[in-house]
Amino acid sequence: TIAPTLSNIKLPGHLSFAGIKLPQLLDSYTHLVTEAAIFPKVFITEKSWKPVVAGQLFFILGSPGIVSYLRDTGVDVFDDYIDHNHYDHELDWRKRLALLYEVIDDFMTKDLHAIHNATLQRRIENHNKFYQGAFDRQYKQTFDNIIKQYQ
């Protein structure tokens, strides 16, 4: 049998989002997400979910705490390879961006191919959990809590 890899897994939406082919999500070791907003409340869009679905390691320029939110939701954010805590909780977006650059610069000095191979099963698990709805419960609960704040 062939071992599962992201290139031979054929799940719905694996190679496209809403019918748009995105090979760049499959041909890169990492993904730099630039969220639509960087203000203090966690704001997450499909942009942050794309690397999870595509089975990529990722960095996120977004609201403070966005990576922690994904981690708490159950997403493997690969803390053993990427120091998200170095930038994720900084409130000043300019400082957060500078800290993010430091983390990216450090990451780029590592053996990306070896990391890619070492994290394969974990990336597949993120992908599978997304399609199985494993992240939905926490995501829905957070959404419900935000709505309740404004009622």
Side-chain angles (χ1 to χ4, degrees):
T1 62
I2 298 174
T5 66
L6 291 169
S7 61
N8 67 23
I9 291 176
K10 300 298 180 199
L11 293 175
H14 178 64
L15 296 175
S16 66
F17 295 89
I20 300 171
K21 297 287 184 186
L22 296 171
Q24 68 273 23
L25 292 176
L26 302 173
D27 295 340
S28 303
Y29 288 123
T30 64
H31 188 93
L32 173 58
V33 176
T34 53
E35 265 297 352
I38 56 174
F39 48 79
K41 295 245 182 201
V42 172
F43 179 82
I44 187 167
T45 68
E46 82 289 347
K47 294 174 185 178
S48 291
W49 290 106
K50 285 179 182 180
V52 173
V53 172
Q56 288 181 303
L57 301 169
F58 55 86
F59 307 90
I60 302 178
L61 175 59
S63 302
I66 194 167
V67 177
S68 293
Y69 172 79
L70 289 173
R71 183 186 304 112
D72 292 346
T73 302
V75 175
D76 186 340
V77 297
F78 309 97
D79 287 315
D80 48 334
Y81 293 100
I82 301 171
D83 184 9
H84 294 290
N85 288 329
H86 187 69
Y87 69 91
D88 188 44
H89 295 285
E90 175 56 52
L91 297 179
D92 181 308
W93 71 269
R94 290 173 189 90
K95 290 179 185 175
R96 189 165 60 255
L97 179 58
L99 294 170
L100 175 59
Y101 285 153
E102 290 174 10
V103 171
I104 293 170
D105 286 345
D106 177 64
F107 186 77
M108 296 307 291
T109 67
K110 299 176 181 177
D111 184 344
L112 301 184
H113 187 71
I115 293 169
H116 182 77
N117 290 335
T119 60
L120 176 62
Q121 191 57 45
R122 293 164 59 190
R123 292 181 289 111
I124 290 171
E125 288 172 18
N126 268 353
H127 172 90
N128 289 341
K129 286 179 182 178
F130 179 87
Y131 279 108
Q132 293 164 358
F135 307 128
D136 294 353
R137 288 178 299 280
Q138 178 66 32
Y139 195 68
K140 183 182 179 309
Q141 182 62 49
T142 301
F143 187 70
D144 288 345
N145 290 341
I146 291 169
I147 290 173
K148 287 176 185 174
Q149 289 178 2
Y150 295 100
Q151 290 181 338

